[in-house]
Amino acid sequence: MLTITTSDLRWLRHAITQADQAPHVRWRVGAVLVRGGRVMGTGYNRYRNNPSQVEVGEVSYHAEEVAIRRAGDARGATLYVARITRGGELGIAKPCHRCMSDIIEAGVSSILWTTPYGLEKVRTRQLALAV
């Protein structure tokens, strides 16, 4: 596991803000993609069948995929993913297999996600072996 820095905590707060915007009661997930201290893309999950929440060109509604799509070029970036539970606490926000494949394919270098017990940060190449 990698060391979590104060900068990581700052970007994680931004991901929590994104999750707060998600309309889904159970799965409020937000993601922020950062490279060189600059936000490259943001996203939060949305209801799949609500046309008012669909943006042009979006096919998927997972926060991670939306953030990567908005960034355009995610190579070398760090992805911060946060989940807020119904109770308002941080939950497990580890990306699903589909999102993990997209993250690896996009060239994201590391991922930090929330858990009920703290945070996890890993290099993407470590996860590529498991996908």
Side-chain angles (χ1 to χ4, degrees), residues 67-116:
I68 289 170
R69 190 173 297 113
R70 287 182 175 164
D73 179 10
R75 287 175 290 156
T78 299
L79 182 64
Y80 298 89
V81 187
R83 176 175 170 232
I84 302 172
T85 66
R86 285 183 191 188
E89 299 170 348
L90 294 179
I92 298 172
K94 183 177 181 179
C96 69
H97 286 292
R98 187 182 80 199
C99 288
M100 199 64 78
S101 294
D102 289 345
I103 290 165
I104 292 165
E105 186 177 318
V108 172
S109 66
S110 59
I111 309 167
L112 184 144
W113 64 81
T114 61
T115 74

Side-chain angles (χ1 to χ4, degrees), residues 13-24 28-31 43-45 82-85 88:
R13 281 192 292 277
H14 194 25
I16 292 169
T17 301
Q18 288 294 307
D20 226 6
Q21 296 178 53
H24 199 294
R28 295 188 309 160
V29 179
Y44 55 87
N45 62 324
R83 176 175 170 232
I84 302 172
T85 66

